């Protein structure tokens, strides 16, 4: 019953793509699943859960600069643009607006497909209609 929602958003905070994973699974699984659907952008803002060398290299191969702070356990600190990272609040606002829909916030659906459909419907109505 525990899930994580991974999302790709544009610069205005509108969702472009989603991926739902089990709650106990690492964020790397979501990153790997959404990597192929990344649009052509200059920067990617992500939280500490997406800090991995392989992910940074994959982004660099696509010509995308990563603005992801390093994990606390990292031996060598990673430099990132702190001013640009503050814009990540748009993503958090997007998740908050999705949770305004009671069905999404309380996760009524037991089936992951039905839950994902509710998320997609909420995003469509909130941002694209």
């Amino acid at each position: 019953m525990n899930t994580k929602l991974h999302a790709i958003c544009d610069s205005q905070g509108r969702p472009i793509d989603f991926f739902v994973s089990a709650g106990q699974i690492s964020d790397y699984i979501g990153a790997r699943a959404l990597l192929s659907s990344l649009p052509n952008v200059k920067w990617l803002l992500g939280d500490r859960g997406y800090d991995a060398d392989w992910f940074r290299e994959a982004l660099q191969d696509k010509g995308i600069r990563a603005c992801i702070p390093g994990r606390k356990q990292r031996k060598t600190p990673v430099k990132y643009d702190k001013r640009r990272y503050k814009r990540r609040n748009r993503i958090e606002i997007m998740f908050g607006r999705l949770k305004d829909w009671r069905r999404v916030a309380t996760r009524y659906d037991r089936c992951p497909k039905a839950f994902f459909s509710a998320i997609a419907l909420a995003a469509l109505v909130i941002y694209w209609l």
Side-chain angles (χ1 to χ4, degrees):
M1 290 296 293
N2 191 9
T3 57
K4 282 185 189 175
L5 179 63
H6 307 271
I8 297 174
C9 298
D10 62 5
S11 61
Q12 284 87 33
R14 296 177 299 191
I16 297 172
D17 199 3
F18 291 114
F19 180 73
V20 175
S21 67
Q24 68 272 16
I25 292 180
S26 172
D27 288 341
Y28 300 143
I29 303 298
R32 185 171 283 127
L34 291 173
L35 187 61
S36 63
S37 62
L38 285 174
N40 292 331
V41 294
K42 294 182 181 180
W43 287 88
L44 180 122
L45 308 179
D47 64 354
R48 292 181 194 272
Y50 297 101
D51 177 37
D53 292 332
W54 67 265
F55 187 57
R56 290 177 186 274
E57 290 171 6
L59 290 174
Q60 193 174 20
D61 290 344
K62 287 184 156 222
I64 300 172
R65 296 179 67 184
C67 184
I68 303 170
R71 289 184 179 258
K72 305 250 186 218
Q73 299 89 2
R74 207 178 245 280
K75 292 180 181 171
T76 58
V78 175
K79 291 185 179 181
Y80 67 100
D81 188 354
K82 293 180 183 178
R83 178 184 244 167
R84 187 177 302 271
Y85 186 72
K86 288 183 180 181
R87 295 184 193 160
R88 202 179 70 79
N89 71 340
R90 296 175 187 168
I91 298 166
E92 299 299 330
I93 291 169
M94 184 269 310
F95 282 120
R97 288 188 69 191
L98 284 177
K99 289 182 180 180
D100 285 344
W101 281 47
R102 186 172 168 190
R103 182 179 195 124
V104 174
T106 57
R107 199 186 187 300
Y108 284 141
D109 304 307
R110 290 181 182 258
C111 177
K113 288 181 184 179
F115 180 60
F116 187 75
S117 299
I119 292 169
L121 181 64
L124 179 72
V125 169
I126 293 170
Y127 291 100
W128 299 105
L129 289 183

